[in-house]
Amino acid sequence: MNLILLGPPGAGKGTQAQKIVERYHIPQISTGDILRAAVKEKTPLGLKAKGFMDQGQLVPDDLVIGIIGERLKDPDCNQGFILDGFPRTIPQAEALQPILVKLGKSIDHVISIEVDPEELVRRLTGRRTCKNCGAMYHVLFNPTQHEWMCDRCGGRLYQRDDDKEETIRTRLKEYEKQTAPLIQYYKSKNSLRSIQGIGGLDEIFERMVRLLDTKPR
Ligand code: ADP
Ligand code: ADP
Ligand code: ZN
């Protein structure tokens, strides 16, 4: 099962992707995670990406297209994959097509998670992530038992640098300008399905599973 998760920052793509990984045993490919790791390691990719990410702007298309082109070749993608945070622009979506064709793959589901902007700001300002295992939490909506400590592995939680209110506003604007047009793009190819992203984590996952377990159009 090859899947694209679309949605604004804070919609719950990463949270739902982690649940899909557990149930369907296919890898989550998050361009954001790959870029953050590159920034931390100060690789050439990380050095190029850092300034854009700190500002809340999108990283240039050629960099992320390169990442995806390489990652999809890995053998763990043969049973399927979840693209979380890619594509994020029309040129990225257009570049994905020939990459997939070359690898003999195609996309089965494009799912858009819909959440209104005020809720997104609340979600992003309270987001916490485990440094060790990547589990995602929220100070109010999905708190851990002990502050700053992961329930799953005991690792330390951190707050992302770009989850500050000012940077969040820029990211939401970037989303409207560059990523929202993808909804129409996939709609016109008859391959988009939307789910309402408000509700409990498990409730939303149930909506997701219902779509994933029905035959794609
Ligand atoms: P969120 O989960 O909040 O939407 P991500 O972790 O997906 O955030 O992305 C964090 C940052 O990484 C983005 O603001 C952007 O700078 C960069 N990034 C991630 N994916 C892409 C992409 N496909 N194209 C361009 N930039 C990207
Ligand atoms: P994205 O990957 O789309 O940027 P995340 O999965 O990182 O979004 O979720 C953003 C924040 O919102 C996290 O702190 C997460 O715990 C929280 N969150 C995710 N889903 C929900 C939900 N259904 N209700 C409330 N908070 C949620
Ligand atoms: Zn953890």
Side-chain angles (χ1 to χ4, degrees):
M1 182 174 72
N2 303 335
L3 163 69
I4 292 176
L5 286 185
L6 280 183
K13 301 180 297 295
T15 301
Q16 294 300 325
Q18 288 179 353
K19 289 177 174 288
I20 297 170
V21 170
E22 278 168 30
R23 168 145 352 176
Y24 296 90
H25 309 289
I26 54 176
Q28 169 190 9
I29 303 178
S30 157
T31 40
D33 287 348
I34 295 170
L35 288 166
R36 274 185 293 280
V39 168
K40 202 170 143 209
E41 299 289 319
K42 300 198 167 68
T43 65
L45 169 69
L47 294 174
K48 283 184 209 147
K50 186 177 188 313
F52 296 99
M53 296 174 77
D54 287 347
Q55 300 283 316
Q57 285 165 352
L58 293 185
V59 167
D61 286 333
D62 56 332
L63 294 182
V64 279
I65 292 165
I67 293 174
I68 289 293
E70 286 307 309
R71 181 64 183 87
L72 287 176
K73 286 184 197 159
D74 290 344
D76 66 337
C77 295
N78 289 341
Q79 304 309 315
F81 54 81
I82 309 158
L83 293 180
D84 160 15
F86 182 95
R88 242 179 167 98
T89 64
I90 300 271
Q92 289 178 22
E94 284 173 342
L96 178 61
Q97 198 47 33
I99 290 174
L100 292 172
V101 169
K102 232 177 171 174
L103 295 168
K105 299 181 193 293
S106 60
I107 297 295
D108 301 304
H109 304 274
V110 183
I111 297 184
S112 157
I113 307 179
E114 296 184 348
V115 174
D116 52 274
E118 304 90 90
E119 171 72 9
L120 295 173
V121 176
R122 277 195 291 274
R123 286 190 185 181
L124 293 170
T125 46
R127 171 158 64 184
R128 299 286 185 271
T129 313
C130 174
K131 248 191 183 125
N132 182 46
C133 76
M136 217 99 67
Y137 298 96
H138 189 282
V139 285
L140 301 176
F141 308 141
N142 183 24
T144 46
Q145 299 221 319
H146 305 284
E147 223 188 332
W148 301 106
M149 196 214 262
C150 178
D151 285 350
R152 196 156 86 181
C153 78
R156 203 172 155 68
L157 305 189
Y158 74 102
Q159 179 170 30
R160 272 170 48 178
D161 289 340
D162 59 349
D163 280 345
K164 315 186 271 275
E165 185 136 0
E166 192 196 327
T167 319
I168 290 171
R169 301 271 171 213
T170 312
R171 285 159 61 207
L172 293 177
K173 277 189 208 135
E174 286 277 281
Y175 171 81
E176 282 307 324
K177 204 167 70 192
Q178 310 224 54
T179 310
L182 285 179
I183 294 182
Q184 200 48 49
Y185 174 88
Y186 284 113
K187 244 184 208 162
S188 69
K189 293 181 177 295
N190 255 333
S191 51
L192 185 94
R193 291 184 294 171
S194 305
I195 62 170
Q196 177 58 254
I198 301 286
L201 305 191
D202 292 327
E203 190 184 348
I204 294 165
F205 185 55
E206 284 308 311
R207 291 177 199 152
M208 188 80 82
V209 166
R210 247 177 273 140
L211 291 190
L212 297 179
D213 290 348
T214 55
K215 237 183 144 55
R217 283 188 283 193

